[in-house]
Amino acid sequence: MSTTENRDIVNQALKIATTSSLSDRSNDLGIGEDAALFDIDNEKLGALGENQWLTFLAAVGTILTAVAVLWIYPATGYGDDFLHFLETDICNGNSHLVTLAMGIIFPIVHSGLASARPYGEKIVGARVWRVIFAFPSLCLAFTWITYFISHAHDGIQFYDLSQNPTAHTIAWTINYLSFFLLYPSVFNLKEVAAVEKPKVHLWETGMIRITRHPQYIGQFMWSVGHLAMVGTSFTALTMVLLVGHHYFACWNGDRRLLAEHGENFLKIKERTSVIPFKAVIEGRQILPEDYYKELLRGPYLVIGIATLGAYFAHPYMQAGSALVRNSGFTEGGILDAIFS
């Protein structure tokens, strides 16, 4: 292959990654948004305070620093106090009861704040409410994830295929594909960080054609992949709790979309399904011949690269979880002096 041909291939790949191609939407209702659209020509670093990427980086850095100081670091944060309270005062050291408690608390906080969004935004605005929603969700997610990594082999061991190369390959493939479903509703990262005003989006293209609730299907796939390798009662319980929360989110998400978009949502609901490809098989959803264009877009490339990065970072995640577990309990935190 000549140098010119190689250059053409690279240029074509860069064009696909940085500028979204439009699919044939002649069979669509045209009332929902086209998911994962991205054009690098519209993106700028900008200045602080502008709705651009420098402000995004500053906002993300600020919220992650707050999570680290107020929650993660034992000397200043309260994550260790929360976990110590669950383990010692509530669950008497039983890791199954701890993950059960987290599987109750996290959905109440996460889905509860999401459901309260219409009321909260009227009081503090959409951007401030996003921060109020995101901060406790990130804190609780960190605690639950690190606790799961540290205790995945607790309880009854039905089987352990974590060292089996075939099982590992199958589970890795399922887990990798799951992330393309888990994060289709957070394509606009500036909204996630409240740089742009967060919205309740009504998507009509992309993964939504396959399943109306890709996060639920993605979480189910992710849970199956992990449980296929680590067959313990602790892992099974945690996976059931995660899938159960996302199953509830199907109903809650439909309810919120109906409240926000009314009749338009009902029309799209009629043309989609929760079970993957069900609406397509039944003829309610017609995939464009060039449907692939809706998936060959920059945000999916970012998900693919980030997921690979997360996989190779697994040893560091395990080391970090061990560090959290071995750091012990330091009572109180940085805010004690303010409220004492």
Side-chain angles (χ1 to χ4, degrees), residues 167-333:
H168 180 272
T169 300
I170 294 173
W172 183 90
T173 302
I174 294 173
N175 288 334
Y176 184 76
L177 293 175
S178 75
F179 279 88
F180 289 93
L181 293 158
L182 273 168
Y183 297 106
S185 60
V186 294
F187 285 141
N188 192 337
L189 293 176
K190 293 176 186 175
E191 285 186 28
V192 175
V195 173
E196 292 183 353
K197 183 179 179 180
K199 302 174 184 176
V200 179
H201 291 277
L202 183 63
W203 305 114
E204 195 175 1
T205 65
M207 287 296 179
I208 301 301
R209 296 187 189 275
I210 306 301
T211 169
R212 190 170 68 257
H213 289 287
Q215 287 177 306
Y216 167 63
I217 301 302
Q219 183 62 67
F220 182 83
M221 292 169 61
W222 187 90
S223 298
V224 167
H226 280 75
L227 189 58
M229 287 196 299
V230 183
T232 65
S233 54
F234 177 89
T235 297
L237 175 59
T238 304
M239 297 304 105
V240 168
L241 290 167
L242 285 168
V243 172
H245 173 218
H246 282 75
Y247 181 75
F248 165 78
C250 291
W251 170 83
N252 197 39
D254 281 353
R255 182 190 63 79
R256 294 174 59 216
L257 284 167
L258 178 60
E260 182 73 19
H261 297 283
E263 188 67 26
N264 283 346
F265 165 68
L266 293 177
K267 291 177 180 178
I268 288 183
K269 181 180 180 182
E270 178 60 30
R271 295 163 62 94
T272 56
S273 61
V274 177
I275 300 174
F277 294 103
K278 185 173 184 288
V280 175
I281 294 171
E282 293 175 349
R284 294 185 286 118
Q285 174 68 240
I286 300 175
L287 294 181
E289 291 185 5
D290 56 354
Y291 174 61
Y292 68 90
K293 291 181 178 179
E294 297 180 9
L295 305 180
L296 293 178
R297 292 177 175 177
Y300 286 109
L301 176 63
V302 172
I303 291 173
I305 294 173
T307 303
L308 280 176
Y311 171 75
F312 288 113
H314 263 62
Y316 302 101
M317 294 180 187
Q318 293 169 332
S321 296
L323 178 62
V324 170
R325 185 174 185 177
N326 296 329
S327 294
F329 166 55
T330 303
E331 186 175 0

Side-chain angles (χ1 to χ4, degrees), residues 49-181:
E50 295 180 349
N51 294 348
Q52 297 296 342
W53 290 105
L54 185 60
T55 304
F56 167 82
L57 293 172
V60 171
T62 300
I63 190 74
L64 292 182
T65 299
V67 171
V69 173
L70 295 174
W71 191 260
I72 296 176
Y73 185 49
T76 60
Y78 296 90
D80 58 327
D81 298 81
F82 170 73
L83 184 56
H84 183 267
F85 172 72
L86 282 184
E87 285 188 307
T88 305
D89 298 341
I90 303 297
C91 302
N92 198 29
N94 188 315
S95 61
H96 289 67
L97 293 180
V98 173
T99 199
L100 176 61
M102 289 184 181
I104 295 172
I105 295 170
F106 180 81
I108 290 175
V109 172
H110 187 76
S111 294
L113 289 174
S115 298
R117 177 177 178 172
Y119 311 101
E121 287 184 347
K122 291 179 181 178
I123 300 173
V124 298
R127 289 182 172 86
V128 174
W129 187 257
R130 174 53 60 91
V131 175
I132 293 173
F133 163 78
F135 181 78
S137 295
L138 288 171
C139 291
L140 292 173
F142 171 84
T143 298
W144 200 6
I145 290 170
T146 54
Y147 193 82
F148 167 73
I149 293 174
S150 296
H151 295 269
H153 293 273
D154 284 7
I156 301 172
Q157 182 88 52
F158 301 108
Y159 55 86
D160 184 6
L161 300 178
S162 57
Q163 303 305 315
N164 183 296
T166 302
H168 180 272
T169 300
I170 294 173
W172 183 90
T173 302
I174 294 173
N175 288 334
Y176 184 76
L177 293 175
S178 75
F179 279 88
F180 289 93
L181 293 158

